[in-house]
Amino acid sequence: MSSPASLIKLEGVTKVFLTDEVETHALSGIHLDIRQGEYVAIAGPSGCGKSTLLSILGLLDSPTDGTYVLNGRPVQSLSLPERARIRNREIGFIFQSFNLIGDLTVYENVELPLTYRGMPAAERKAAVTSALEKVGMGHRAKHLPSQLSGGQQQRVAVARALAGSPAVLLADEPTGNLDSKNGDSVMQLLADLHKGGATIVMVTHDTRFARHAERTIHIFDGRVVQEQVEQH
Amino acid sequence: MLSDLRFAFRQLAKSPGFTFVAILALALGVATATSMFTFYNALLLRPIPFVTDESTLLYLRTYNVRQPADDFDSSVPDFRDIRRESQTLSGALTVWNRTYILGGSERPERALGNWITADAFQTLGVRPALGRLFRPDESRPGSPPVVILGHALWKRSYGGNPDLLGQTITLNNESVTVVGIMPEGFAFPETTQLWQPFPDNEMARDEERGSHGFPIYARMKPGVTLSSVQAELDTLGARHEAAYPKTNTGMRFRALLMRDEAMREEKLALQLMLGAVFAVLLIACGNVANLLLARSSARSRELAVRAALGAGRGRLVRQLLTESLLLGVAGGLAGFVLTFWQIDFVLSLIPVEIPFWIRFDLDWRVLAFALAATIGSSLLFGAFPAIQLSRPDLAQELKDGARGGTASGHGRRFRAYLIVFQLALTLVLLVAAGLMTRSFLHLQNIDPGFDPTGIFTFRTGIPPTIEKDEKIAQKFFETAIDRLREIPGVEDAGFISYLPLTNSSNYNSFAIAGRPEPTPGQLPSAIYRAASPGVFSALRIPLRRGRFFDERDRADREPVAVVSEAFVAKFFPHEDPLGRRLVYGHELEEKLRKTVTIVGVVGDIAQRPTAREIDPAVWLPLAQKPDNFMSAVLRVKGEPASYLAPAQDALVAARAGIPLYLPGPLAKVASDNMWPQRFFGFLFIMFAVVALFLAALGIYGVMAYNVAQRTQEIGVRMALGAEPRNVVTMIIGQGFRLVLAGLALGLVAAWFSAQLLASLLHGVEPHDPPTFAFVPLLLALVALLACYLPSRRATRIDPLHALRGE
Ligand SMILES: Nc1ncnc2c1ncn2[C@@H]1O[C@H](COP(=O)(O)OP(=O)(O)O)[C@@H](O)[C@H]1O
Ligand SMILES: [Mg+2]
């Protein structure tokens, strides 16, 4: 089996937060290699650095030290507008608390990242419609987020993340605010997307959900302590 | 209650930025409103001091039924008849202004005084501070001359010496006994502080029924209404018309309350301004309300906790209103301090002596107004946020973390309405200010028809009491011209009866010889001014046809006149005016008439600084039309003001003991005469600037708050790839929708309210296109800037930080 190209490559990434003269070593010497089409879970106890790792992957934050190569391009020290552009094109975010924009309809929420890249309206329409179909929310396009249940909101958030066909979907505890039934169905949705070829990196503190992934990286106190490959 | 206050203090101290901006906005609003009210109060509300029962004091005017809008002073015979025949008036008085020379020095002081009917002060109800009023017999010819002095004049020129009573002083070279000193602050009318009894023989002159130069003040009998006085005056007018058709055809009398008359011109401007000021105050309140609302969601959590702990709604409202009142009181106090400064500043814009009864010091009305403005505004701006804050959605606020979407606050729409309203009011004020400014600039740029720069001017003359012989008075001017010309640097010198670009002028009616006999009361009239030949060259007035005056036009030669182009256009549009003759005193008997022959046509000059059109004018040579007092015009090299001392010397050389008064560069005299335009224009600009500042503050506050409140949403957008420019565009776009709504509403309001300004504007249409184009643009730009700053701040939001807030 020929291994697909490396999509994300972290080498020696550390992250140090300075607050009130106290240094918090959120990440220490992380090496990570994620290939195209992989579904990786990042697990570990609360406060171990999962979210920090994910935001570095998502270019919301930059490492204190180390290198990050995304799609063959070093990205650890780019300007703000360049990082915004990469976030917009290469990365799809799914947040624990959905973070849909309350004043925008479901359709407009999904469309939002596409408008930032200046995609023509017709193309946008096709992409939004197809993304909403994929998550089974096509019939709710005109609704406002407040008119949806939590599970439905998270499906819309997933549609927003994948509408622009990003290189990778980053999900930080996507089921954290959902009951178990809704949580399961969102997990199923991600699994389906993975089967369809999507690269997914998901943070969870609940190892039950990690079984959906092909590979689970356990983090403790800012270090990778164990890598575990699921057998399917 | 005390704990409410303590807590309110703590809350305000906790956010000093908010507190400062709120107090500043309020202070500006209260100060502007209070200083404007001070003017309004001084001019329209405050009782006229010293005078008893102002509500029965009238001012009577004469008008011609053909032009009822123009009214003017009355004639002495008409005054006499009204006083004698009226059943509704208990008294009437009139004055005749006179120039007095005080003392007998070489360079004497000059004071404006008047002849006043002997019982005038009794009619007004004013008592002297020292001495007595006039006795009836003191107006009889031959009775020893007496004078009553005003307090300030007494202090200034006579050292306030109480022994002056009963002593004689020299007035116009005559020894006059001082019989009374009037109370401090009193003058009548307007600023005059020297009174002599109106001589009976002057009062008895019958031939002057057509000469309207005497203001009539009158007192209504108790229980009489203004309309019954008017009815009686109408009857009287009709009777005079029948009896004296030559002078009184179409002439009627009009009764006005004294105050209304005095403030007729300014009343509208003042009322508009008071309206403008309430708009400013409302804007300030809107700002503070907005800021308070903006803080509301930051505090809704606190209030929800309080409510959950069992605080009733009334309790919460009280807490919030305590904070508002605290802000209001602080803003009010700061505003009151600002008021003093503002009033001083505005008063410095009035270069002339103001009438005695206008006093700008604070009285209970101003204090009450300031207090009401402060408390009223704090309740107003406190009410909305208090009501909104006092019913927070408990469940929503206390539920932790569960935010399905980003917040869309219910207060947002209300804040938007406030801002739109505020921007609209600001636009109305800015348009008014713009129109007033354009009008003022127009007046300043009017081509006066002559060159006012480099001219030094003053007024001088010999009172008739000093020199009965007109020829000698006139000789004085001729000698003076010669002396003045000898001053090094003086290029040209002349005398003119009234300076152009001032508000004084003399109109006279005439008949044109060779034209059909005019119907009585329909004689044409024109400005009537005397001048020496040097005036034309000094002022650089161009000759169009014929000739200027010259040495030929002596008193004993054929009387001549020079007319203006406007005169020719009006009265000789298709004829050659040269050689035609004008008859003055046409309505009088033959021997009193004066016929002049037109020998030249000169360019027009502007007599009044605010003239919408140039009035036709007739010029007569000084030598043929003697006047006691005239204005000198000297074309000089260098700074005109520096010619005062040499001019004084030249006058003494011409004749010692003659006063020189009202000296100054002509350009300054003219611009001083435009003070009402400048004054009102400036006030409007001041209000507009304050309003603009407040509007900018308001929209900034709203947008900054919006950004703060939407931190999380903006963070999400940035996480999804919004670049800084996307964020800036979004925030400005949202702000700008408010601005556009405000501009649209404001334009409609300004369109209608501009009409109210029409009568105050000169050379500018109320719907002046440049103003209506530029002013909204200016407001839009300022608003844009006010939106830009918060939008910059939005781009500095760290999406990570914003999202972690969850
Ligand atoms: N912006 C920050 N400033 C200071 N410390 C931070 C910041 N973000 C995260 N941390 C600290 O870094 C560590 C890792 O946090 P995080 O990545 O959020 O953990 P996890 O998502 O695994 O619960 C924690 O100790 C947290 O307190
Ligand atoms: Mg986390």
Side-chain angles (χ1 to χ4, degrees):
Chain A
M1 163 179 160
S2 69
S3 68
S6 164
L7 179 65
I8 286 172
K9 198 170 176 65
L10 295 187
E11 272 178 15
V13 163
T14 62
K15 182 68 186 179
V16 182
F17 292 110
L18 250 181
T19 36
D20 299 333
E21 320 252 319
V22 177
E23 282 188 7
T24 307
H25 290 260
L27 297 174
S28 328
I30 300 278
H31 295 272
L32 191 60
D33 200 340
I34 296 171
R35 289 181 302 281
Q36 201 128 41
E38 263 195 301
Y39 186 167
V40 176
I42 296 173
S46 184
C48 69
K50 305 180 298 290
S51 294
T52 305
L53 177 58
L54 204 70
S55 37
I56 286 175
L57 291 179
L59 272 72
L60 288 171
D61 207 351
S62 36
T64 312
D65 213 347
T67 59
Y68 174 12
V69 177
L70 175 65
N71 244 342
R73 182 181 180 198
V75 294
Q76 68 273 8
S77 49
L78 293 176
S79 73
L80 276 179
E82 275 174 308
R83 291 156 68 89
R85 229 162 289 148
I86 292 176
R87 278 203 300 276
N88 184 254
R89 284 162 191 271
E90 314 271 1
I91 292 161
F93 283 104
I94 301 159
F95 305 98
Q96 177 176 351
S97 58
F98 327 142
N99 275 327
L100 298 179
I101 292 174
D103 287 340
L104 302 182
T105 62
V106 163
Y107 183 95
E108 289 165 334
N109 264 288
V110 176
E111 190 185 29
L112 192 60
L114 306 182
T115 60
Y116 289 139
R117 70 171 77 163
M119 186 186 275
E123 243 177 89
R124 279 206 311 263
K125 185 160 196 239
V128 172
T129 313
S130 118
L132 282 174
E133 290 303 332
K134 263 187 212 161
V135 302
M137 291 296 295
H139 59 300
R140 293 294 169 93
K142 296 232 165 65
H143 286 64
L144 287 173
S146 56
Q147 297 167 313
L148 303 180
S149 75
Q152 289 173 319
Q153 291 192 26
Q154 193 60 304
R155 283 170 174 277
V156 174
V158 172
R160 179 173 69 183
L162 59 87
S165 324
V168 58
L169 290 179
L170 302 179
D172 194 346
E173 314 227 17
T175 58
N177 281 349
L178 299 176
D179 57 32
S180 65
K181 185 164 154 281
N182 274 313
D184 285 343
S185 92
V186 166
M187 276 303 156
Q188 192 53 53
L189 175 60
L190 290 181
D192 292 345
L193 290 172
H194 168 56
K195 282 198 198 95
T199 313
I200 300 175
V201 180
M202 176 186 72
V203 161
T204 179
H205 64 271
D206 186 340
T207 40
R208 272 186 313 121
F209 289 125
R211 70 191 151 78
H212 288 280
E214 297 165 302
R215 184 150 68 106
T216 303
I217 295 166
H218 291 274
I219 296 186
F220 188 77
D221 207 7
R223 287 168 211 279
V224 177
V225 290
Q226 185 194 359
E227 283 210 40
Q228 175 188 345
V229 179
E230 286 284 329
Q231 303 298 317
H232 287 284
Chain B
M1 191 64 221
L2 206 65
S3 75
D4 278 346
L5 200 63
R6 229 185 351 254
F7 186 76
F9 258 116
R10 262 213 316 276
Q11 281 295 327
L12 294 179
K14 226 160 63 185
S15 31
F18 157 82
T19 306
F20 175 74
V21 169
I23 290 180
L24 178 69
L26 273 180
L28 277 173
V30 168
T32 312
T34 308
S35 44
M36 188 52 228
F37 180 77
T38 306
F39 291 108
Y40 189 82
N41 178 44
L43 296 169
L44 292 179
L45 298 182
R46 238 185 165 151
I48 297 176
F50 307 108
V51 163
T52 51
D53 196 8
E54 161 188 345
S55 64
T56 58
L57 262 188
L58 303 181
Y59 189 62
L60 308 187
R61 303 282 285 168
T62 301
Y63 66 97
N64 190 321
V65 289
R66 283 193 305 139
Q67 277 176 304
D70 291 338
D71 49 33
F72 32 84
D73 286 333
S74 310
S75 70
V76 164
D78 283 343
F79 163 74
R80 235 173 31 211
D81 294 345
I82 290 172
R83 183 164 64 163
R84 193 180 53 240
E85 293 168 22
S86 168
Q87 301 298 313
T88 57
L89 302 175
S90 62
L93 61 123
T94 188
V95 297
W96 178 239
N97 286 335
R98 292 155 46 83
T99 291
Y100 284 90
I101 298 175
L102 310 187
S105 77
E106 198 172 66
R107 294 164 198 228
E109 194 191 339
R110 163 264 184 191
L112 198 62
N114 58 42
W115 281 340
I116 190 162
T117 36
D119 60 355
F121 295 121
Q122 286 87 339
T123 304
L124 291 171
V126 190
R127 270 193 257 270
L130 289 173
R132 60 168 176 86
L133 299 175
F134 298 126
R135 288 196 304 254
D137 59 287
E138 282 168 338
S139 55
R140 264 183 227 136
S143 70
V146 291
V147 65
I148 294 177
L149 297 178
H151 198 272
L153 181 68
W154 172 56
K155 285 265 181 208
R156 186 180 73 227
S157 303
Y158 300 98
N161 177 11
D163 295 338
L164 197 68
L165 275 185
Q167 304 274 308
T168 62
I169 57 175
T170 306
L171 290 178
N172 293 347
N173 277 5
E174 190 184 33
S175 285
V176 181
T177 306
V178 179
V179 297
I181 309 289
M182 294 307 271
E184 188 171 0
F186 179 76
F188 191 86
E190 315 260 296
T191 59
T192 304
Q193 294 206 32
L194 191 161
W195 304 272
Q196 287 200 282
F198 207 121
D200 288 345
N201 52 338
E202 295 288 337
M203 188 57 75
R205 286 160 70 156
D206 249 337
E207 70 275 19
E208 307 232 316
R209 205 174 279 275
S211 169
H212 299 105
F214 299 84
I216 304 178
Y217 302 86
R219 173 76 77 183
M220 288 194 274
K221 279 185 180 158
V224 166
T225 63
L226 189 59
S227 55
S228 57
V229 174
Q230 186 59 58
E232 188 187 46
L233 288 176
D234 289 342
T235 320
L236 231 97
R239 212 152 68 213
H240 284 195
E241 175 166 11
Y244 318 103
K246 269 203 156 159
T247 52
N248 283 45
T249 298
M251 295 299 177
R252 290 292 183 279
F253 309 106
R254 170 178 294 157
L256 300 149
L257 284 175
M258 189 156 139
R259 158 95 62 171
D260 289 351
E261 162 55 26
M263 280 294 116
R264 213 158 12 147
E265 308 241 309
E266 288 83 0
K267 198 167 182 170
L268 176 70
L270 282 166
Q271 279 166 347
L272 285 177
M273 225 136 24
L274 204 62
V277 133
F278 273 109
V280 171
L281 194 60
L282 275 180
I283 290 172
C285 290
N287 273 333
V288 179
N290 245 328
L291 288 166
L292 283 171
L293 276 171
R295 270 198 347 163
S296 72
S297 62
R299 293 185 55 196
S300 53
R301 190 69 180 272
E302 168 216 322
L303 291 161
V305 171
R306 283 169 172 258
L309 294 178
R313 182 147 175 221
R315 188 64 232 266
L316 290 179
V317 169
R318 206 173 75 196
Q319 170 62 44
L320 292 161
L321 282 183
T322 307
E323 278 182 53
S324 303
L325 270 167
L326 199 59
L327 272 182
V329 168
L333 284 178
F336 209 62
V337 174
L338 260 178
T339 303
F340 283 97
W341 177 81
Q342 251 181 354
I343 291 177
D344 270 359
F345 185 63
V346 170
L347 282 185
S348 71
L349 293 170
I350 305 179
V352 297
E353 212 180 336
I354 48 180
F356 77 99
W357 50 270
I358 301 179
R359 295 193 301 181
F360 292 105
D361 46 323
L362 303 175
D363 65 357
W364 65 268
R365 286 183 191 80
V366 173
L367 290 171
F369 178 88
L371 203 66
T374 303
I375 292 175
S377 62
S378 36
L379 290 179
L380 190 65
F381 68 68
F384 298 113
I387 288 165
Q388 214 173 57
L389 273 175
S390 68
R391 46 169 185 221
D393 183 345
L394 277 186
Q396 188 59 39
E397 291 298 337
L398 294 176
K399 203 155 62 179
D400 215 8
R403 268 180 299 175
T406 55
S408 60
H410 44 282
R412 201 194 292 174
R413 193 167 315 135
F414 186 68
R415 284 196 300 278
Y417 288 151
L418 268 180
I419 266 300
V420 166
F421 178 64
Q422 179 174 335
L423 285 165
L425 280 179
T426 305
L427 186 70
V428 172
L429 287 180
L430 280 173
V431 165
L435 290 173
M436 296 295 275
T437 310
R438 292 255 303 156
S439 161
F440 182 67
L441 289 178
H442 168 83
L443 289 179
Q444 287 222 300
N445 293 332
I446 278 182
D447 175 12
F450 66 96
D451 181 5
T453 57
I455 298 282
F456 175 69
T457 165
F458 60 86
R459 209 161 163 81
T460 188
I462 309 180
T465 39
I466 292 186
E467 208 56 83
K468 295 254 165 7
D469 187 351
E470 283 178 345
K471 293 212 179 61
I472 294 182
Q474 200 166 312
K475 190 88 196 138
F476 161 72
F477 290 116
E478 277 162 22
T479 325
I481 288 175
D482 292 339
R483 295 287 90 77
L484 290 166
R485 277 184 202 278
E486 286 163 10
I487 300 173
V490 172
E491 293 170 348
D492 256 311
F495 281 102
I496 184 168
S497 39
Y498 297 99
L499 281 179
L501 291 184
T502 61
N503 286 307
S504 38
S505 61
N506 188 7
Y507 278 73
N508 225 329
S509 52
F510 56 88
I512 299 168
R515 296 255 172 102
E517 179 80 1
T519 11
Q522 301 213 1
L523 285 177
S525 74
I527 289 178
Y528 184 73
R529 61 168 84 93
S532 68
V535 166
F536 296 106
S537 47
L539 294 180
R540 305 204 167 124
I541 297 169
L543 177 69
R544 301 298 187 206
R545 310 184 53 189
R547 65 171 179 90
F548 288 133
F549 308 137
D550 56 32
E551 281 62 41
R552 280 172 284 172
D553 306 313
R554 316 260 356 134
D556 50 359
R557 303 288 290 271
E558 193 205 357
V560 296
V562 162
V563 296
S564 68
E565 284 181 296
F567 183 94
V568 174
K570 183 158 182 193
F571 300 112
F572 294 95
H574 310 296
E575 291 164 78
D576 182 2
L578 295 186
R580 301 295 297 268
R581 289 180 308 145
L582 308 177
V583 182
Y584 282 95
H586 178 81
E587 67 278 13
L588 306 178
E589 45 191 298
E590 196 74 44
K591 67 172 177 9
L592 293 169
R593 294 183 188 173
K594 175 177 171 148
T595 302
V596 299
T597 306
I598 299 172
V599 296
V601 178
V602 296
D604 290 314
I605 65 172
Q607 186 62 34
R608 290 173 291 162
T610 58
R612 280 159 214 253
E613 51 196 54
I614 301 275
D615 295 305
V618 177
W619 298 74
L620 303 171
L622 173 57
Q624 295 177 348
K625 190 208 171 274
D627 253 340
N628 280 99
F629 295 97
M630 305 209 69
S631 290
V633 289
L634 273 56
R635 178 157 294 281
V636 297
K637 289 201 183 79
E639 170 55 42
S642 66
Y643 285 80
L644 175 56
Q648 228 146 14
D649 294 340
L651 272 199
V652 172
R655 175 167 173 161
I658 303 298
L660 176 160
Y661 54 100
L662 304 177
L666 178 54
K668 180 177 183 303
V669 173
S671 110
D672 282 357
N673 273 302
M674 275 204 279
W675 77 265
Q677 286 74 35
R678 198 167 32 229
F679 177 76
F680 286 118
F682 176 83
L683 283 185
F684 268 106
I685 290 171
M686 185 173 87
F687 298 148
V689 167
V690 169
L692 184 64
F693 173 74
L694 288 175
L697 203 71
I699 194 154
Y700 172 83
V702 163
M703 293 317 290
Y705 174 69
N706 248 350
V707 167
Q709 203 195 27
R710 293 169 58 196
T711 302
Q712 189 218 358
E713 178 206 320
I714 293 167
V716 170
R717 287 171 179 268
M718 290 173 90
L720 296 178
E723 293 175 35
R725 65 184 168 84
N726 298 125
V727 174
V728 168
T729 315
M730 176 181 76
I731 302 291
I732 291 191
Q734 273 165 355
F736 220 66
R737 275 210 295 279
L738 298 180
V739 173
L740 283 183
L743 288 185
L745 189 65
L747 270 176
V748 173
W751 188 264
F752 287 107
S753 46
Q755 207 63 58
L756 298 175
L757 282 175
S759 64
L760 300 174
L761 299 177
H762 302 280
V764 183
E765 289 302 309
H767 297 147
D768 178 47
T771 304
F772 273 81
F774 172 75
V775 164
L777 213 63
L778 173 75
L779 183 55
L781 264 168
V782 170
L784 208 60
L785 188 71
C787 294
Y788 178 71
L789 298 177
S791 81
R792 285 304 304 171
R793 178 161 336 137
T795 64
R796 286 195 293 272
I797 287 175
D798 178 358
L800 199 57
H801 204 256
L803 295 172
R804 197 187 299 279
E806 62 193 32

